[in-house]
Amino acid sequence: MARPRTATRTVEHPDPSEVSLQQVLEALVDPVRRMVVSQLARAGEDKSCGTFDAPVSLSTLTHHFNVLREAGVIRQYYVGTTKMNALRTDEMEQRFPGLLSAVLAAALAKESGSTAGGN
Amino acid sequence: MARPRTATRTVEHPDPSEVSLQQVLEALVDPVRRMVVSQLARAGEDKSCGTFDAPVSLSTLTHHFNVLREAGVIRQYYVGTTKMNALRTDEMEQRFPGLLSAVLAAALAKESGSTAGGN
DNA sequence: TCCATAGTACGACCGTCATCGAAAATAGGC
DNA sequence: GCCTATTTTCGATGACGGTCGTACTATGGA
């Protein structure tokens, strides 16, 4: 111990009541971050940072995870050397009813490129 | 024809199917633009450009109206020298179900500064 | 015809943010 | 103890977008 510089690495998360609409929208407006959220939603289970498919470097991805976490969109926790990510769907739904689900629905619909109409 | 010299200034509007989620989110992420949309929603009727309350210059406001229009969020039309603005709520609801309404709900809830919890 | 009113176009400025690479930290296995 | 895998930190860079002021256009009325 001795104030283990390694407190098993805890991660700070905001209470939903502390995040603003502005924060959430800023988090979701970035395409890469939306990819992350979409993949998380589609997976249906927690994913480690390294398992995401995004067209940016790992360090950039870390940045995006931070933004998402600070906006209350995802929850992160360590498991050994890997860091897991989970969607805070329920809490978001409480704080901003319909918001995350609407974005997610639109993002996923686009991915599966169902109908035409384009992007 | 006739093409009245004064085409009475027509305004171009995108078909909802042509606007992307990205565009809509980018439009709604700006606080000033959200103010505009909120005031429009709250008014319950079309408002002319000059009747909005925003902390920016008129030319900046014009820019914001353009962004909102190109994202399919508002519809604009001239009436004499004034330009009116209307929310395209129904069309947005079709294109991105729940999105605009969720943002609007959150934005209006904040305005009326109901409970604490802050911004 | 001239003026007042309403909004637009243009160019410039500036802050913010996504991005990267390189170097560091942390935990687990051998 | 050391090596490796995983993620973070740091500083630099570059692009994008919100902002403004000024000059301009368009409409309607006197």
Side-chain angles (χ1 to χ4, degrees):
Chain A
M1 26 186 62
R3 187 49 35 58
R5 61 299 232 78
T6 151
T8 302
R9 292 200 277 181
T10 51
V11 186
E12 293 266 307
H13 291 89
D15 185 274
S17 70
E18 291 171 341
V19 313
S20 63
L21 173 61
Q22 185 63 35
Q23 262 182 297
V24 176
L25 288 178
E26 280 174 3
L28 296 177
V29 80
D30 186 281
V32 174
R33 286 195 285 266
R34 239 175 16 252
M35 268 189 216
V36 167
V37 172
S38 294
Q39 287 174 34
L40 217 36
R42 166 157 304 186
E45 56 180 6
D46 302 1
K47 282 169 65 70
S48 80
C49 291
T51 66
F52 288 84
D53 183 29
V56 294
S57 72
L58 260 183
S59 62
T60 298
L61 210 43
T62 292
H63 163 66
H64 289 309
F65 283 126
N66 288 339
V67 173
L68 285 170
R69 190 187 63 242
E70 283 159 22
V73 177
I74 64 172
R75 181 175 297 281
Q76 299 188 291
Y77 57 95
Y78 281 96
V79 174
T81 77
T82 76
K83 196 176 196 175
M84 301 298 291
N85 302 273
L87 274 182
R88 298 180 69 180
T89 32
D90 293 348
E91 290 162 296
M92 273 288 119
E93 181 63 26
Q94 288 253 207
R95 180 70 174 98
F96 298 114
L99 183 52
L100 181 56
S101 49
V103 172
L104 226 28
L108 293 176
K110 165 187 170 183
E111 275 180 46
S112 54
S114 50
T115 40
N119 67 341
Chain B
M1 3 264 48
R3 181 44 46 100
R5 52 311 227 150
T6 150
T8 311
R9 289 190 284 180
T10 51
V11 186
E12 292 267 308
H13 292 89
D15 185 274
S17 70
E18 293 171 340
V19 313
S20 64
L21 172 61
Q22 186 62 35
Q23 263 182 296
V24 177
L25 288 178
E26 278 174 5
L28 296 177
V29 79
D30 185 280
V32 175
R33 287 196 284 268
R34 244 181 4 258
M35 267 188 216
V36 167
V37 172
S38 294
Q39 287 173 35
L40 217 36
R42 166 156 304 187
E45 57 180 5
D46 302 1
K47 283 170 62 73
S48 79
C49 291
T51 66
F52 287 85
D53 184 30
V56 295
S57 72
L58 257 186
S59 62
T60 297
L61 208 44
T62 292
H63 163 68
H64 288 310
F65 283 127
N66 288 340
V67 174
L68 285 171
R69 189 188 64 245
E70 283 159 22
V73 177
I74 63 171
R75 181 175 296 282
Q76 299 189 290
Y77 58 95
Y78 282 95
V79 174
T81 76
T82 77
K83 196 177 197 174
M84 301 298 291
N85 302 273
L87 274 182
R88 298 179 71 179
T89 31
D90 293 348
E91 290 162 295
M92 272 289 119
E93 181 63 25
Q94 289 250 211
R95 180 69 174 100
F96 298 114
L99 182 54
L100 182 56
S101 48
V103 172
L104 227 27
L108 293 176
K110 166 187 168 183
E111 275 181 45
S112 53
S114 50
T115 38
N119 67 338

